[in-house]
Amino acid sequence: MTIRMARPDRGQHFRPRLHCLKKLEAIVVEMQDTTSGVKGSEQKLNVTTIPHVITGKDIIAWITNKMKTTPEEGQTFGTMLVAYGYIYPLQNHKKLVMCNDTSLYRFQTPYFWPTQKWVAEDSDYAIYLAKRNIRKKGMLEPYEQAHYNHLHEWLNHKWDFIVMQATEQYKAGKERKKPDRVVFDCQERAYWIVNRPPCRTHSAMDNSPDRLIDPNSEEKIPFDMYRRMNLFYQQAIMRSKVKSSVSLGALTKYITTYKTHDSFLAPCLPSNPWQTDNDTYWTLNMRRVDVPTKMRVERWSFSLFELLSDLRGRDDFKIFLKKEFSGENMAFWEAAEELKWGTASSMTSKAETIFKTFLAPGAPRWINIDGRTMGLTVKGLDHPHRYVLEAAQTHVFLLMKKDTFFRYLKSPVYKDIQKKAQNPETHNFSPAQLEQNAQNRSLGIHPITFWEQEEVEKAKAAAASVPVDVKALMSKLDRKK
Amino acid sequence: MRSPLIPEMATQEVQLNETLVHLKTESETLKSKLEEERAKLHDVELHQVAEKVEGLGQFVMKTRRTLKGHGNKVLCMDWCKDKRRIVSSSQDGKVIVWDAFTTNKEHAVTMPCTWVMACAYAPSGCAVACGGLDNKCSVYPLSLDKNENLAAKKKSVAMHTNYLSACSFTNSDMQILTSSGDGTCALWDVESGQLLQSFHGHAADVLCLDLAPSETGNTFVSGGCDKKANVWDMRSGQCIQSFETHESDINSVRYYPSGDAFASGSDDATCRLYDLRADREVAIYSKESIIFGVSSVDFSLSGRLLFAGYNDYTINVWDVLKGTRVSILFGHENRVSTLRVSPDGTAFCTGSWDHTLRIWA
């Protein structure tokens, strides 16, 4: 089933927006300033003398000074200038990186700068390759030859024009002075390395697939779009908002609460598996450990959501609920979750089971919710959909959150597990031991195997928790008598 | 004699134009009124609140694993709930499942299209979903049998009219949320391939999405080429909140761990933090020296750190509260295209156009 779009499918033609180009160009212009820019010199390349050659070292020093950053960042920026084609390397012309040494570079002529407006067309590339072929047959590299063959095939209808252009350009080139010709050849070659990069070259003009919508076009907003936008704005204005101090305070509080649990801010006990190649941390925090870690148990106390999200915590909570004979809320919540996230085809049967088990008058695990919610829910179950239990589920969740959860935290069940919980010692591996660890990384359990095990456990638990039908049991006992 | 039709139509058109102008003005008025209402409740800045919080120390984050095996640009990756396995997809159509801890490749699938821009691991760990230029999202059940041909059991779930940019399973293996270049997002039932809900509102390609980590789990945020980040109600299909402060395409959106805020990364080289309860942008993470686009963002477990992958091959780590950059990481040789923190927050993984993935801790 597809989504029908009102927009005609125009195919994808529009280059991703290159927002950085304006700033890049401004910097490149500054770099070429005769007084405050990068100092260039003449360099001999084979027999010719090339003017305005700059070294990587000087470029990076200028960038570092101008942007007030570190040399590494300066080098990164320099690499981007090369990758976009504003500067090109004279040696290693296929590697578009800036090296922080005496490697030689030149500024690319503005004619070849990347701009949003015109794209390096295939026909231009074909002319370039044809021209090189005219100059000297067999001069093309394998990847260029492959491009050439491909272009010759699909631009065949234009080929006469292409050869004509190539010949014209070749003739015009011959009339230039040798140094100018060498420079122009370098520039042109650099342009095409950037726009048609060979396999191992990382070029910044190598883009992802085009966008469907033209990012540079003026947005023509249709009539009804305005109506919808206005409606949206009106609703947004009416919606209740919270003061910044309150919401930002809550964000900060969250960070403070979880600070010691964040592996990037506090040490992982006993050690971070990625750093020491020892996965004890994961083994200690598995789904069904007898003794959870102290950190894990502490996290259960942060919110009911945390407690329920960690299935081990949920198990502990259920033990508490069993003691209080109030497990039906939790069971209902779980069943409602299964309905919400289940397959579309299972909706009706699940809804029926839930109704019979939790909501029908006299149901074995009847949940105590207010009359209005019960009424709405039962009515909705006539035509069950995945959000039919939303109201009831929220009500039950809030009940558990505001009451049961806090009693759990004060209960002997929780205090018990807090005491039992283990606090693993920090690992202190020697370099030799770390080497050992790296050689013996454990494979752990495959998720599929784990999932199969869990399904078995779930089935067992479901069978065990089926509510005892007292009437049936009594009549059975009577019959025995 | 009856007056000719053409002048009538001309008057109609003039009337229509006037109404359009009228609507546009009304739209602008409402927009400024909304800004006014938002500003009224803005009594403190984030960095002021952050003054009371202690600063962060020095960080030592290194590449702990380098995963080599893709023959082309890595476009997307996702973690498995087991905290060590990942799935990654690339330009050449290959989707690989790795045990990142041992660096072993466990499964590989070749899609019938190139540019697989989206991939996701199912919550159960038993399947992966992926899609891209084929305009579809397909689910591949994984198998313990290494020799099994996974493509045989492939299930086509989502169908869009343009490229698939992102996909994510919801809380179970049974639903997938997708976003597409056709400007829409959609929720699908995996078993039947049925469209459960579609989300219209973006004026251009939608590039990213993220599901809210809340107790109700009923909302998600999407970002697009129209510079907007929209928050949607999965039940009704309505856009409930919208933020338009970026200056260019939004490439990545990610919820803050509490679900009350989200971060976005854009081609305008900034990351921004939006507070959902206050209904406004509350922080901009940027530097004069950073001018290349952000491709991907994610929070550390506590929400204190924001990791962002950039098109200049680097990763910047931001202090979410104080707004400063705490670290810059080098290593990739082409743009960082995807970045995700592991489910237990012990590491984060980056995928790059240099054909590799790296695990950092």
Side-chain angles (χ1 to χ4, degrees), chain B residues 16 19 30 55 98 101 109 117 122 136-137 148 180 199 215 223 228 238 248 252 259 270 280 288 314 329 352:
Chain B
L16 209 70
T19 333
L30 283 172
W98 317 69
F101 189 62
V109 174
M117 295 177 252
K136 296 194 238 175
C137 185
E148 188 168 332
S180 164
F199 306 89
E215 6 192 271
K228 288 211 196 120
Q238 293 300 314
S248 189
S252 176
T270 67
R280 61 179 298 124
E288 275 276 341
T314 64
L329 303 171
S352 161

PDB file of all heavy atoms in Angstrom, chain B residues 16 19 30 55 98 101 109 117 122 136-137 148 180 199 215 223 228 238 248 252 259 270 280 288 314 329 352:
ATOM      1  N   LEU B  16      -9.461  35.894  -4.896  1.00  0.00           N
ATOM      2  CA  LEU B  16      -8.649  34.808  -4.363  1.00  0.00           C
ATOM      3  C   LEU B  16      -7.300  35.322  -3.900  1.00  0.00           C
ATOM      4  O   LEU B  16      -6.837  34.974  -2.815  1.00  0.00           O
ATOM      5  CB  LEU B  16      -8.464  33.745  -5.459  1.00  0.00           C
ATOM      6  CG  LEU B  16      -8.269  32.315  -4.949  1.00  0.00           C
ATOM      7  CD1 LEU B  16      -9.554  31.803  -4.363  1.00  0.00           C
ATOM      8  CD2 LEU B  16      -7.847  31.415  -6.082  1.00  0.00           C
ATOM      9  N   THR B  19      -7.616  37.129  -0.686  1.00  0.00           N
ATOM     10  CA  THR B  19      -7.767  36.218   0.445  1.00  0.00           C
ATOM     11  C   THR B  19      -6.420  35.589   0.778  1.00  0.00           C
ATOM     12  O   THR B  19      -6.088  35.423   1.946  1.00  0.00           O
ATOM     13  CB  THR B  19      -8.776  35.105   0.135  1.00  0.00           C
ATOM     14  OG1 THR B  19      -9.694  35.584  -0.827  1.00  0.00           O
ATOM     15  CG2 THR B  19      -9.513  34.685   1.376  1.00  0.00           C
ATOM     16  N   LEU B  30      -0.161  35.564  13.582  1.00  0.00           N
ATOM     17  CA  LEU B  30      -0.266  34.463  14.534  1.00  0.00           C
ATOM     18  C   LEU B  30       1.111  33.976  14.952  1.00  0.00           C
ATOM     19  O   LEU B  30       1.353  33.663  16.121  1.00  0.00           O
ATOM     20  CB  LEU B  30      -1.062  33.312  13.916  1.00  0.00           C
ATOM     21  CG  LEU B  30      -2.572  33.501  13.862  1.00  0.00           C
ATOM     22  CD1 LEU B  30      -3.214  32.387  13.047  1.00  0.00           C
ATOM     23  CD2 LEU B  30      -3.164  33.522  15.258  1.00  0.00           C
ATOM     24  N   GLY B  55      31.390  22.059  36.567  1.00  0.00           N
ATOM     25  CA  GLY B  55      31.907  21.855  35.223  1.00  0.00           C
ATOM     26  C   GLY B  55      32.370  20.428  35.013  1.00  0.00           C
ATOM     27  O   GLY B  55      32.493  19.642  35.945  1.00  0.00           O
ATOM     28  N   TRP B  98      27.032  -6.781  12.898  1.00  0.00           N
ATOM     29  CA  TRP B  98      28.308  -7.053  13.551  1.00  0.00           C
ATOM     30  C   TRP B  98      28.118  -7.296  15.037  1.00  0.00           C
ATOM     31  O   TRP B  98      27.238  -6.701  15.657  1.00  0.00           O
ATOM     32  CB  TRP B  98      29.238  -5.838  13.461  1.00  0.00           C
ATOM     33  CG  TRP B  98      29.334  -5.096  12.204  1.00  0.00           C
ATOM     34  CD1 TRP B  98      28.369  -4.317  11.642  1.00  0.00           C
ATOM     35  CD2 TRP B  98      30.485  -5.011  11.352  1.00  0.00           C
ATOM     36  NE1 TRP B  98      28.838  -3.750  10.498  1.00  0.00           N
ATOM     37  CE2 TRP B  98      30.139  -4.143  10.293  1.00  0.00           C
ATOM     38  CE3 TRP B  98      31.760  -5.554  11.398  1.00  0.00           C
ATOM     39  CZ2 TRP B  98      31.035  -3.830   9.273  1.00  0.00           C
ATOM     40  CZ3 TRP B  98      32.643  -5.232  10.391  1.00  0.00           C
ATOM     41  CH2 TRP B  98      32.270  -4.384   9.338  1.00  0.00           C
ATOM     42  N   PHE B 101      31.686  -5.915  19.749  1.00  0.00           N
ATOM     43  CA  PHE B 101      32.639  -6.209  20.825  1.00  0.00           C
ATOM     44  C   PHE B 101      33.785  -7.077  20.312  1.00  0.00           C
ATOM     45  O   PHE B 101      34.950  -6.837  20.595  1.00  0.00           O
ATOM     46  CB  PHE B 101      31.918  -6.902  21.974  1.00  0.00           C
ATOM     47  CG  PHE B 101      32.742  -7.057  23.218  1.00  0.00           C
ATOM     48  CD1 PHE B 101      33.210  -5.945  23.896  1.00  0.00           C
ATOM     49  CD2 PHE B 101      33.064  -8.309  23.723  1.00  0.00           C
ATOM     50  CE1 PHE B 101      33.981  -6.067  25.049  1.00  0.00           C
ATOM     51  CE2 PHE B 101      33.829  -8.446  24.883  1.00  0.00           C
ATOM     52  CZ  PHE B 101      34.285  -7.325  25.543  1.00  0.00           C
ATOM     53  N   VAL B 109      23.568  -8.877   4.229  1.00  0.00           N
ATOM     54  CA  VAL B 109      22.497  -8.947   3.246  1.00  0.00           C
ATOM     55  C   VAL B 109      22.837  -7.954   2.150  1.00  0.00           C
ATOM     56  O   VAL B 109      23.349  -6.874   2.439  1.00  0.00           O
ATOM     57  CB  VAL B 109      21.157  -8.518   3.886  1.00  0.00           C
ATOM     58  CG1 VAL B 109      20.073  -8.458   2.848  1.00  0.00           C
ATOM     59  CG2 VAL B 109      20.751  -9.458   4.996  1.00  0.00           C
ATOM     60  N   MET B 117      19.899   4.144   3.039  1.00  0.00           N
ATOM     61  CA  MET B 117      20.097   5.260   3.967  1.00  0.00           C
ATOM     62  C   MET B 117      19.548   5.019   5.347  1.00  0.00           C
ATOM     63  O   MET B 117      19.789   5.819   6.252  1.00  0.00           O
ATOM     64  CB  MET B 117      19.454   6.510   3.384  1.00  0.00           C
ATOM     65  CG  MET B 117      20.128   6.931   2.121  1.00  0.00           C
ATOM     66  SD  MET B 117      19.319   8.333   1.405  1.00  0.00           S
ATOM     67  CE  MET B 117      18.543   7.587   0.037  1.00  0.00           C
ATOM     68  N   ALA B 122      15.687  -4.634  15.369  1.00  0.00           N
ATOM     69  CA  ALA B 122      14.424  -4.872  16.066  1.00  0.00           C
ATOM     70  C   ALA B 122      14.672  -5.022  17.559  1.00  0.00           C
ATOM     71  O   ALA B 122      15.721  -5.525  17.955  1.00  0.00           O
ATOM     72  CB  ALA B 122      13.764  -6.137  15.527  1.00  0.00           C
ATOM     73  N   LYS B 136      11.402   1.722  -0.228  1.00  0.00           N
ATOM     74  CA  LYS B 136      10.707   0.806   0.664  1.00  0.00           C
ATOM     75  C   LYS B 136      11.477   0.624   1.954  1.00  0.00           C
ATOM     76  O   LYS B 136      12.659   0.944   2.046  1.00  0.00           O
ATOM     77  CB  LYS B 136      10.616  -0.578   0.018  1.00  0.00           C
ATOM     78  CG  LYS B 136       9.799  -0.626  -1.231  1.00  0.00           C
ATOM     79  CD  LYS B 136       9.506  -2.066  -1.575  1.00  0.00           C
ATOM     80  CE  LYS B 136      10.049  -2.354  -2.957  1.00  0.00           C
ATOM     81  NZ  LYS B 136       9.929  -3.715  -3.356  1.00  0.00           N
ATOM     82  N   CYS B 137      10.791   0.050   2.943  1.00  0.00           N
ATOM     83  CA  CYS B 137      11.477  -0.415   4.141  1.00  0.00           C
ATOM     84  C   CYS B 137      11.183  -1.895   4.248  1.00  0.00           C
ATOM     85  O   CYS B 137      10.012  -2.314   4.267  1.00  0.00           O
ATOM     86  CB  CYS B 137      10.987   0.327   5.386  1.00  0.00           C
ATOM     87  SG  CYS B 137      11.901  -0.124   6.857  1.00  0.00           S
ATOM     88  N   GLU B 148      22.168 -19.630   6.079  1.00  0.00           N
ATOM     89  CA  GLU B 148      20.839 -19.331   5.578  1.00  0.00           C
ATOM     90  C   GLU B 148      20.840 -18.056   4.762  1.00  0.00           C
ATOM     91  O   GLU B 148      21.484 -17.072   5.129  1.00  0.00           O
ATOM     92  CB  GLU B 148      19.872 -19.195   6.751  1.00  0.00           C
ATOM     93  CG  GLU B 148      18.432 -19.071   6.299  1.00  0.00           C
ATOM     94  CD  GLU B 148      17.453 -19.222   7.452  1.00  0.00           C
ATOM     95  OE1 GLU B 148      17.807 -19.913   8.420  1.00  0.00           O
ATOM     96  OE2 GLU B 148      16.368 -18.646   7.375  1.00  0.00           O
ATOM     97  N   SER B 180      10.482   9.784   4.799  1.00  0.00           N
ATOM     98  CA  SER B 180      10.862   9.642   3.402  1.00  0.00           C
ATOM     99  C   SER B 180      11.126  10.973   2.715  1.00  0.00           C
ATOM    100  O   SER B 180      10.708  12.033   3.178  1.00  0.00           O
ATOM    101  CB  SER B 180       9.743   8.891   2.677  1.00  0.00           C
ATOM    102  OG  SER B 180       9.861   9.039   1.288  1.00  0.00           O
ATOM    103  N   PHE B 199       1.783  10.786   8.382  1.00  0.00           N
ATOM    104  CA  PHE B 199       2.017  12.079   9.011  1.00  0.00           C
ATOM    105  C   PHE B 199       2.432  13.083   7.943  1.00  0.00           C
ATOM    106  O   PHE B 199       3.519  12.995   7.382  1.00  0.00           O
ATOM    107  CB  PHE B 199       3.111  11.946  10.074  1.00  0.00           C
ATOM    108  CG  PHE B 199       2.811  10.858  11.078  1.00  0.00           C
ATOM    109  CD1 PHE B 199       3.229   9.559  10.856  1.00  0.00           C
ATOM    110  CD2 PHE B 199       2.106  11.133  12.239  1.00  0.00           C
ATOM    111  CE1 PHE B 199       2.935   8.541  11.770  1.00  0.00           C
ATOM    112  CE2 PHE B 199       1.809  10.130  13.167  1.00  0.00           C
ATOM    113  CZ  PHE B 199       2.233   8.837  12.923  1.00  0.00           C
ATOM    114  N   GLU B 215       6.816   7.113  29.043  1.00  0.00           N
ATOM    115  CA  GLU B 215       5.999   6.045  29.581  1.00  0.00           C
ATOM    116  C   GLU B 215       4.838   5.736  28.655  1.00  0.00           C
ATOM    117  O   GLU B 215       4.396   4.608  28.565  1.00  0.00           O
ATOM    118  CB  GLU B 215       5.480   6.445  30.957  1.00  0.00           C
ATOM    119  CG  GLU B 215       5.854   7.903  31.299  1.00  0.00           C
ATOM    120  CD  GLU B 215       5.626   8.247  32.729  1.00  0.00           C
ATOM    121  OE1 GLU B 215       4.510   8.682  33.031  1.00  0.00           O
ATOM    122  OE2 GLU B 215       6.567   8.065  33.523  1.00  0.00           O
ATOM    123  N   GLY B 223      12.689  15.647  11.431  1.00  0.00           N
ATOM    124  CA  GLY B 223      13.344  16.859  10.946  1.00  0.00           C
ATOM    125  C   GLY B 223      13.449  16.779   9.433  1.00  0.00           C
ATOM    126  O   GLY B 223      13.613  15.692   8.884  1.00  0.00           O
ATOM    127  N   LYS B 228      12.336  22.522   9.420  1.00  0.00           N
ATOM    128  CA  LYS B 228      11.433  22.376  10.561  1.00  0.00           C
ATOM    129  C   LYS B 228      11.662  21.059  11.279  1.00  0.00           C
ATOM    130  O   LYS B 228      11.975  20.041  10.663  1.00  0.00           O
ATOM    131  CB  LYS B 228       9.981  22.368  10.081  1.00  0.00           C
ATOM    132  CG  LYS B 228       9.462  23.664   9.623  1.00  0.00           C
ATOM    133  CD  LYS B 228       7.960  23.734   9.898  1.00  0.00           C
ATOM    134  CE  LYS B 228       7.351  24.861   9.109  1.00  0.00           C
ATOM    135  NZ  LYS B 228       6.332  24.390   8.182  1.00  0.00           N
ATOM    136  N   GLN B 238      -1.533  13.875  14.032  1.00  0.00           N
ATOM    137  CA  GLN B 238      -1.432  15.332  14.067  1.00  0.00           C
ATOM    138  C   GLN B 238      -0.041  15.783  14.464  1.00  0.00           C
ATOM    139  O   GLN B 238       0.623  15.143  15.266  1.00  0.00           O
ATOM    140  CB  GLN B 238      -2.406  15.904  15.108  1.00  0.00           C
ATOM    141  CG  GLN B 238      -3.863  15.735  14.770  1.00  0.00           C
ATOM    142  CD  GLN B 238      -4.203  16.408  13.473  1.00  0.00           C
ATOM    143  OE1 GLN B 238      -3.807  17.550  13.224  1.00  0.00           O
ATOM    144  NE2 GLN B 238      -4.891  15.694  12.601  1.00  0.00           N
ATOM    145  N   SER B 248      19.114  25.770   7.838  1.00  0.00           N
ATOM    146  CA  SER B 248      19.264  24.860   6.707  1.00  0.00           C
ATOM    147  C   SER B 248      18.668  23.504   7.075  1.00  0.00           C
ATOM    148  O   SER B 248      18.078  23.342   8.139  1.00  0.00           O
ATOM    149  CB  SER B 248      20.737  24.748   6.333  1.00  0.00           C
ATOM    150  OG  SER B 248      20.878  24.045   5.120  1.00  0.00           O
ATOM    151  N   SER B 252      19.438  15.452  11.590  1.00  0.00           N
ATOM    152  CA  SER B 252      19.312  14.494  12.671  1.00  0.00           C
ATOM    153  C   SER B 252      18.518  15.089  13.825  1.00  0.00           C
ATOM    154  O   SER B 252      18.676  16.271  14.141  1.00  0.00           O
ATOM    155  CB  SER B 252      20.715  14.115  13.143  1.00  0.00           C
ATOM    156  OG  SER B 252      20.657  13.263  14.253  1.00  0.00           O
ATOM    157  N   GLY B 259      12.824  12.643  27.663  1.00  0.00           N
ATOM    158  CA  GLY B 259      11.706  12.799  26.750  1.00  0.00           C
ATOM    159  C   GLY B 259      11.113  14.192  26.740  1.00  0.00           C
ATOM    160  O   GLY B 259      10.194  14.476  25.979  1.00  0.00           O
ATOM    161  N   THR B 270      25.063  23.995  13.174  1.00  0.00           N
ATOM    162  CA  THR B 270      24.709  24.104  14.592  1.00  0.00           C
ATOM    163  C   THR B 270      23.907  22.904  15.046  1.00  0.00           C
ATOM    164  O   THR B 270      23.245  22.235  14.253  1.00  0.00           O
ATOM    165  CB  THR B 270      23.830  25.336  14.884  1.00  0.00           C
ATOM    166  OG1 THR B 270      22.561  25.143  14.239  1.00  0.00           O
ATOM    167  CG2 THR B 270      24.454  26.619  14.389  1.00  0.00           C
ATOM    168  N   ARG B 280      10.038  25.908  23.218  1.00  0.00           N
ATOM    169  CA  ARG B 280      10.973  26.827  22.575  1.00  0.00           C
ATOM    170  C   ARG B 280      12.370  26.232  22.437  1.00  0.00           C
ATOM    171  O   ARG B 280      12.710  25.262  23.098  1.00  0.00           O
ATOM    172  CB  ARG B 280      11.043  28.142  23.349  1.00  0.00           C
ATOM    173  CG  ARG B 280      11.523  27.944  24.779  1.00  0.00           C
ATOM    174  CD  ARG B 280      11.611  29.247  25.548  1.00  0.00           C
ATOM    175  NE  ARG B 280      12.563  30.135  24.944  1.00  0.00           N
ATOM    176  CZ  ARG B 280      12.260  31.367  24.552  1.00  0.00           C
ATOM    177  NH1 ARG B 280      11.061  31.841  24.739  1.00  0.00           N
ATOM    178  NH2 ARG B 280      13.171  32.125  23.999  1.00  0.00           N
ATOM    179  N   GLU B 288      32.396  29.635  15.933  1.00  0.00           N
ATOM    180  CA  GLU B 288      32.796  30.350  14.713  1.00  0.00           C
ATOM    181  C   GLU B 288      33.588  29.457  13.778  1.00  0.00           C
ATOM    182  O   GLU B 288      33.465  29.533  12.569  1.00  0.00           O
ATOM    183  CB  GLU B 288      33.679  31.538  15.094  1.00  0.00           C
ATOM    184  CG  GLU B 288      32.949  32.788  15.461  1.00  0.00           C
ATOM    185  CD  GLU B 288      32.560  33.637  14.257  1.00  0.00           C
ATOM    186  OE1 GLU B 288      33.155  33.447  13.170  1.00  0.00           O
ATOM    187  OE2 GLU B 288      31.666  34.473  14.403  1.00  0.00           O
ATOM    188  N   THR B 314      34.929  15.238  11.682  1.00  0.00           N
ATOM    189  CA  THR B 314      35.177  15.221  13.135  1.00  0.00           C
ATOM    190  C   THR B 314      33.926  14.925  13.934  1.00  0.00           C
ATOM    191  O   THR B 314      32.819  14.904  13.402  1.00  0.00           O
ATOM    192  CB  THR B 314      35.692  16.583  13.621  1.00  0.00           C
ATOM    193  OG1 THR B 314      34.637  17.551  13.397  1.00  0.00           O
ATOM    194  CG2 THR B 314      36.921  17.024  12.864  1.00  0.00           C
ATOM    195  N   LEU B 329      36.948  15.018  18.434  1.00  0.00           N
ATOM    196  CA  LEU B 329      37.564  13.728  18.136  1.00  0.00           C
ATOM    197  C   LEU B 329      37.856  13.613  16.653  1.00  0.00           C
ATOM    198  O   LEU B 329      37.009  13.906  15.821  1.00  0.00           O
ATOM    199  CB  LEU B 329      36.617  12.600  18.571  1.00  0.00           C
ATOM    200  CG  LEU B 329      36.203  12.625  20.038  1.00  0.00           C
ATOM    201  CD1 LEU B 329      35.106  11.597  20.298  1.00  0.00           C
ATOM    202  CD2 LEU B 329      37.393  12.333  20.941  1.00  0.00           C
ATOM    203  N   SER B 352      30.974   6.207   8.871  1.00  0.00           N
ATOM    204  CA  SER B 352      31.486   7.299   8.035  1.00  0.00           C
ATOM    205  C   SER B 352      31.528   6.924   6.566  1.00  0.00           C
ATOM    206  O   SER B 352      31.499   5.756   6.194  1.00  0.00           O
ATOM    207  CB  SER B 352      32.888   7.659   8.520  1.00  0.00           C
ATOM    208  OG  SER B 352      33.602   8.374   7.548  1.00  0.00           O
TER     209      SER B 352
END
